[in-house]
């Protein structure tokens, strides 16, 4: 059976067993043409900076009032949708927790009174209660007061016991760096004021009053938080907040249309699908070909590149300036990845090591760890699992390794490929590792047991890359048989094959997704190819590189594509509305990715 026949049969089987996602309309040809005619505007970075960043500083999610507000909002939505039993269950569980909070407030009231009266035996009894055991910040301040009073009374033995038993385990709760050190120093001084941190100590009575005031503030914070229970709540509050969140996402996007876009899902941030048609910036500075690229964080302000000159460079995507150069590897960089916050970058090299870099301060990037295995050879691939707690590394020695970032150890190895592993990634759920190898196979590994649970052998050449879609339903593989192939991850059936590019020589040419509707990949002819995911037609050829294009990555936040090439340059590409008459240039106001039902 020919590949084309096999592909057609697999596609027919897949569509026979799938249906569109509920609530996700399939855009018709006329709708797509209408989208292409929408007035499209590109907003430069200055505009996006006017939007307030959705940071943790906006509100305290652990505030008792905010927590109660969230419960009320969820209960209102459940009630409006007819989930009455679920609403009752939610309130029942909330009331149990409310009783615990009432007991906690009662304990704080009694604790405050006991401290003011100097009843330390009563204080010890209250602090050992169930409701205060986890309030470490309170316990630290209470035991610090008790310790200081023992020092004041020259009860050195009792003070030493309090320091070791109570304060040492709570050292992380100290008010400022060095406070615990000065508490220890008090055991050797004649008076409390001799320690730098306590020069302003003005006696037991005044100190007790300050601690009582601290506890009173906690009580007021807890009690005021309950006022929201009697505050009127607007109808459909959850839907209103979600619409506001989507409006913020649309406003902060680089591309805007004259028409209001229809957002088919709120599980991911809104990102319009555009087909880049114009070179935006060229990044020059490497002294060798550039094998890989990765955006530093989700915002897309910076992009990193790994080169055969043994360095990683971090670039400003707006100015195309190199803002940091990471040195330390002794051979070419095969692969890089970064976490979602843009604070950590990981690199894989031909020197047989994986390095972890702290890049929070781009003026002073630091290598915080080097992972090396004996006689492993080149490390071709590095990626992070969905929780970003583990690093997946693979390479020449045919082995995939899972590295725990917390313990600093390799916690699992995966053996089974017959030749070197070119690429390995996690599925979005984090329970599987998917790998592509020079042995022409794609393998699926159980992350707990380390065993291979499935192997695909459809490619006729070495597999150079694997990538999963954001939905977790699709897999994209690239091979030296001049094809990129799309797979249904549930049935493991081949859906489509993308052709037109060149990938046959000794190169790691990779492909990936642009949203849910497009596929992008490099090529040996120096062109970046973009395919429509469903029709498999080439919708754009981006020319500009003077050598092989190894890698191309999309950033939905900024709507730009970044490509890495053998010509020593990195390039970014964007959709220029003034060139909208170019073939394949379009704007889509919907996410065209609802071909598969989520069961």
């Amino acid at each position: 059976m020919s590949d084309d026949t096999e592909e057609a049969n697999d596609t027919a089987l897949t569509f026979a067993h799938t249906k569109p996602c509920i609530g996700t309309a399939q855009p018709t040809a006329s709708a797509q043409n209408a989208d292409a005619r929408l007035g499209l505007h590109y907003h430069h970075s200055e505009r996006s900076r006017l939007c307030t960043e959705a940071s943790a500083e906006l509100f305290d999610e652990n505030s008792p009032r905010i927590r109660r507000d969230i419960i009320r909002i969820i209960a209102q939505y459940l009630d409006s949708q007819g989930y009455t039993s679920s609403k009752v269950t939610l309130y029942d569980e909330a009331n149990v927790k409310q009783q615990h909070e009432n007991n906690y407030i009662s304990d704080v009231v009694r604790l405050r009174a006991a401290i003011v009266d100097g009843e330390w035996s009563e204080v010890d009894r209250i602090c050992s209660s169930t409701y205060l055991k986890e309030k470490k910040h309170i316990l630290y301040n209470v035991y610090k007061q008790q310790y200081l009073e023992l020092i004041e009374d020259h009860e050195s033995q009792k003070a030493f016991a309090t320091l070791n038993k109570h304060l040492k385990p709570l050292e992380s709760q100290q008010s400022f760096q060095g406070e615990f050190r000065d508490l220890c120093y008090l055991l050797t001084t004649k008076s409390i004021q001799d320690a730098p941190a306590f020069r302003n100590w003005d006696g037991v009575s005044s100190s007790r009053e300050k601690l009582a005031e601290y506890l009173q503030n906690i009580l007021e914070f807890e009690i005021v938080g309950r006022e929201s229970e009697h505050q009127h709540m607007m109808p459909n509050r959850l839907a209103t907040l979600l619409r506001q969140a989507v409006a913020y996402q649309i406003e902060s996007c680089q591309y805007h249309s004259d028409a209001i876009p229809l957002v088919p899902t709120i599980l991911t941030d809104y990102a319009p699908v555009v087909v880049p048609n114009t070179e935006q910036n060229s990044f020059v500075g490497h002294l060798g070909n550039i094998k890989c690229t990765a955006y530093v964080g989700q915002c897309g302000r910076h992009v990193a590149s790994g080169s055969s000159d043994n360095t990683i460079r971090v670039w400003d995507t707006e100015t195309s300036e190199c803002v940091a150069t990471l040195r330390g590897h002794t051979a070419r960089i095969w692969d890089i990845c970064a976490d979602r916050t843009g604070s950590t970058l990981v690199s894989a090299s031909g020197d047989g090591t994986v390095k972890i870099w702290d890049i929070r301060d781009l003026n002073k990037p630091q290598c915080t760890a080097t992972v090396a295995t004996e006689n492993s050879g080149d490390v071709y691939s590095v990626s992070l699992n969905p929780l970003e707690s583990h690093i997946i590394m693979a390479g020449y020695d045919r082995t995939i390794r899972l590295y725990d970032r917390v313990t600093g150890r390799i916690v699992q190895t995966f053996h089974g490929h017959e030749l070197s592993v070119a690429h390995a990634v996690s599925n979005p759920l984090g329970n599987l590792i998917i790998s592509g190898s020079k042995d022409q196979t794609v393998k699926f590994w159980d992350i707990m047991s380390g065993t291979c649970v499935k192997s695909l052998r459809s490619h006729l050449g070495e597999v150079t890359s694997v990538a999963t879609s954001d939905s977790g339903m699709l897999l994209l593989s690239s091979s030296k048989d001049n094809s990129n192939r799309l797979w249904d991850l549930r049935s493991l059936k081949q859906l489509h094959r993308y052709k037109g590019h060149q990938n046959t020589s000794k190169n790691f040419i990779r492909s990936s997704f642009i949203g849910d509707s497009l596929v992008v990949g490099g090529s040996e002819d120096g062109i970046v190819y973009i395919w429509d995911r469903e029709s498999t037609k080439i919708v754009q050829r981006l020319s500009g590189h003077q050598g092989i294009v190894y890698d191309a990555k999309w950033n939905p936040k900024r709507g730009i594509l970044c490509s890495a090439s053998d010509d020593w340059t990195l390039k970014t590409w964007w959709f220029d509305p003034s060139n909208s008459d170019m073939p394949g240039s379009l704007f889509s106001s919907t996410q065209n990715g609802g071909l598969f039902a989520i069961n």
Side-chain angles (χ1 to χ4, degrees):
M1 180 183 295
S2 70
D3 291 336
D4 292 326
T5 306
E6 182 180 353
E7 177 185 348
N9 289 341
D10 287 345
T11 305
L13 284 170
T14 303
F15 285 116
H17 292 86
T18 57
K19 57 186 178 183
C21 284
I22 296 174
T24 305
Q26 299 304 303
T28 62
S30 59
Q32 289 178 336
N33 291 334
D35 286 336
R37 291 193 300 269
L38 289 174
L40 180 63
H41 313 287
Y42 181 79
H43 288 164
H44 292 278
S45 58
E46 288 77 9
R47 177 183 176 87
S48 62
R49 290 198 191 105
L50 296 176
C51 298
T52 301
E53 183 181 357
S55 64
E57 286 74 24
L58 290 177
F59 62 84
D60 180 9
E61 62 186 73
N62 295 315
S63 161
R65 175 167 185 165
I66 294 296
R67 291 203 304 263
R68 294 188 188 98
D69 288 349
I70 292 173
I71 289 173
R72 288 187 64 196
I73 290 170
I74 294 173
Q76 183 195 57
Y77 180 77
L78 291 174
D79 189 50
S80 69
Q81 299 298 311
Y83 298 111
T84 309
S85 298
S86 298
K87 173 189 172 184
V88 171
T89 301
L90 175 64
Y91 273 134
D92 285 345
E93 293 183 2
N95 288 334
V96 170
K97 195 167 185 178
Q98 183 71 63
Q99 184 59 47
H100 282 270
E101 291 179 0
N102 290 339
N103 293 331
Y104 159 62
I105 290 175
S106 176
D107 279 352
V108 173
V109 170
R110 291 190 295 115
L111 179 64
R112 180 180 178 278
I115 288 172
V116 171
D117 295 336
E119 297 289 340
W120 287 106
S121 58
E122 177 68 6
V123 168
D124 288 337
R125 190 181 69 78
I126 296 171
C127 287
S128 62
S129 71
T130 303
Y131 309 109
L132 277 177
K133 279 195 303 185
E134 300 304 319
K135 306 294 182 180
K136 295 182 180 180
H137 58 101
I138 293 178
L139 296 178
Y140 176 80
N141 284 285
V142 169
Y143 287 126
K144 180 176 71 173
Q145 176 67 27
Q146 184 182 32
Y147 174 78
L148 292 172
E149 291 192 20
L150 290 171
I151 292 293
E152 182 86 345
D153 295 337
H154 303 290
E155 296 280 358
S156 300
Q157 293 295 330
K158 291 182 179 179
F160 181 74
T162 300
L163 183 72
N164 278 315
K165 181 179 179 181
H166 297 302
L167 287 173
K168 177 60 178 173
L170 299 170
E171 182 179 354
S172 62
Q173 304 297 314
Q174 60 184 333
S175 304
F176 52 87
Q177 192 68 29
E179 183 183 46
F180 183 78
R181 177 198 60 211
D182 280 6
L183 287 173
C184 297
Y185 176 59
L186 287 176
L187 291 170
T188 65
T189 62
K190 292 182 179 180
S191 70
I192 292 178
Q193 289 88 346
D194 290 342
F198 302 100
R199 283 175 183 158
N200 297 323
W201 166 265
D202 51 1
V204 170
S205 179
S206 175
S207 184
R208 284 183 183 176
E209 288 177 4
K210 290 178 182 177
L211 181 56
E213 183 180 354
Y214 162 76
L215 294 173
Q216 182 64 32
N217 290 336
I218 291 177
L219 285 172
E220 291 176 359
F221 178 75
E222 294 286 347
I223 293 170
V224 169
R226 300 188 179 193
E227 293 177 357
S228 63
E229 296 175 5
H230 308 290
Q231 183 177 344
H232 171 70
M233 181 166 55
M234 296 171 59
N236 303 316
R237 187 60 182 154
L238 180 60
T240 300
L241 289 173
L242 291 174
R243 289 191 188 99
Q244 291 171 355
V246 172
Y248 162 80
Q249 293 168 13
I250 294 172
E251 186 63 23
S252 60
C253 272
Q254 299 293 98
Y255 296 95
H256 284 243
S257 66
D258 291 336
I260 298 176
L262 174 64
V263 177
T265 178
I266 57 174
L267 295 181
T268 56
D269 286 352
Y270 166 81
V273 178
V274 296
V275 179
N277 61 2
T278 305
E279 180 180 326
Q280 185 183 53
N281 286 313
S282 185
F283 305 79
V284 179
H286 277 297
L287 302 178
N289 59 34
I290 303 175
K291 296 291 186 184
C292 52
T293 183
Y295 287 97
V296 178
Q298 292 179 312
C299 70
R301 175 63 190 272
H302 296 102
V303 66
S305 56
S307 169
S308 292
D309 65 8
N310 306 349
T311 69
I312 303 110
R313 289 179 179 257
V314 181
W315 312 82
D316 187 312
T317 56
E318 295 176 8
T319 66
S320 70
E321 294 179 0
C322 178
V323 295
T325 302
L326 313 183
R327 294 183 171 89
H329 283 295
T330 58
R332 70 181 58 185
I333 313 300
W334 284 109
D335 198 12
I336 55 175
C337 67
D339 64 0
R340 286 183 286 270
T341 63
S343 60
T344 301
L345 186 141
V346 188
S347 56
S349 171
D351 62 14
T353 68
V354 166
K355 289 186 181 292
I356 304 172
W357 308 82
D358 182 346
I359 55 173
R360 285 174 293 184
D361 183 356
L362 288 172
N363 293 318
K364 296 180 180 178
Q366 295 181 336
C367 178
T368 58
T370 299
V371 186
T373 55
E374 189 175 354
N375 300 321
S376 64
D378 289 33
V379 183
Y380 294 136
S381 171
V382 68
S383 62
L384 289 165
N385 73 326
L387 295 178
E388 300 185 339
S389 58
H390 293 76
I391 297 171
I392 303 162
M393 43 194 289
Y396 179 78
D397 66 353
R398 314 174 190 178
T399 303
I400 304 160
R401 294 176 174 86
L402 188 66
Y403 174 84
D404 189 321
R405 294 177 61 188
V406 176
T407 63
R409 296 186 300 108
I410 291 173
V411 294
Q412 187 64 275
T413 56
F414 307 84
H415 303 279
H417 278 296
E418 298 173 3
L419 294 173
S420 59
V421 182
H423 207 194
V425 298
S426 170
N427 70 329
L429 291 178
N431 62 326
L432 292 175
I433 287 178
I434 307 169
S435 60
S437 167
K438 287 187 176 182
D439 63 13
Q440 304 182 12
T441 67
V442 174
K443 291 184 181 293
F444 298 79
W445 311 83
D446 178 74
I447 204 164
M448 297 301 294
S449 65
T451 58
C452 178
V453 295
K454 185 67 178 179
S455 185
L456 302 177
R457 296 181 176 273
S458 294
H459 278 295
L460 304 177
E462 300 174 6
V463 178
T464 56
S465 76
V466 287
T468 59
S469 63
D470 291 337
S471 66
M473 299 295 177
L474 303 172
L475 171 70
L476 182 66
S477 60
S478 302
S479 171
K480 293 182 182 179
D481 59 7
N482 276 340
S483 76
N484 300 321
R485 304 192 186 211
L486 187 71
W487 309 82
D488 184 333
L489 272 177
R490 296 165 303 171
S491 63
L492 296 183
K493 294 289 187 179
Q494 181 178 309
L495 302 177
H496 298 299
R497 184 166 55 180
Y498 307 95
K499 299 178 180 180
H501 65 301
Q502 297 176 18
N503 184 10
T504 58
S505 299
K506 296 181 179 180
N507 300 297
F508 284 152
I509 292 177
R510 292 169 174 169
S511 62
S512 58
F513 291 94
I514 295 181
D516 281 335
S517 56
L518 301 170
V519 169
V520 62
S523 176
E524 290 167 1
D525 59 10
I527 297 174
V528 181
Y529 285 81
I530 301 176
W531 295 267
D532 181 272
R533 198 198 78 188
E534 286 305 303
S535 70
T536 73
K537 293 179 180 179
I538 297 174
V539 296
Q540 191 61 275
R541 294 177 176 88
L542 299 173
S543 301
H545 282 295
Q546 303 303 311
I548 299 165
V549 178
Y550 294 111
D551 196 8
K553 296 287 175 57
W554 172 253
N555 183 267
K557 188 70 175 177
R558 295 196 173 248
I560 56 174
L561 181 70
C562 186
S563 56
S565 173
D566 191 59
D567 63 5
W568 299 15
T569 70
L570 199 70
K571 291 183 184 294
T572 52
W573 311 81
W574 68 301
F575 178 75
D576 183 355
S578 65
N579 291 340
S580 59
D581 57 341
M582 289 180 60
S585 298
L586 58 90
F587 170 80
S588 173
S589 62
T590 61
Q591 294 282 358
N592 180 16
L595 288 178
F596 302 101
I598 301 175
N599 297 319

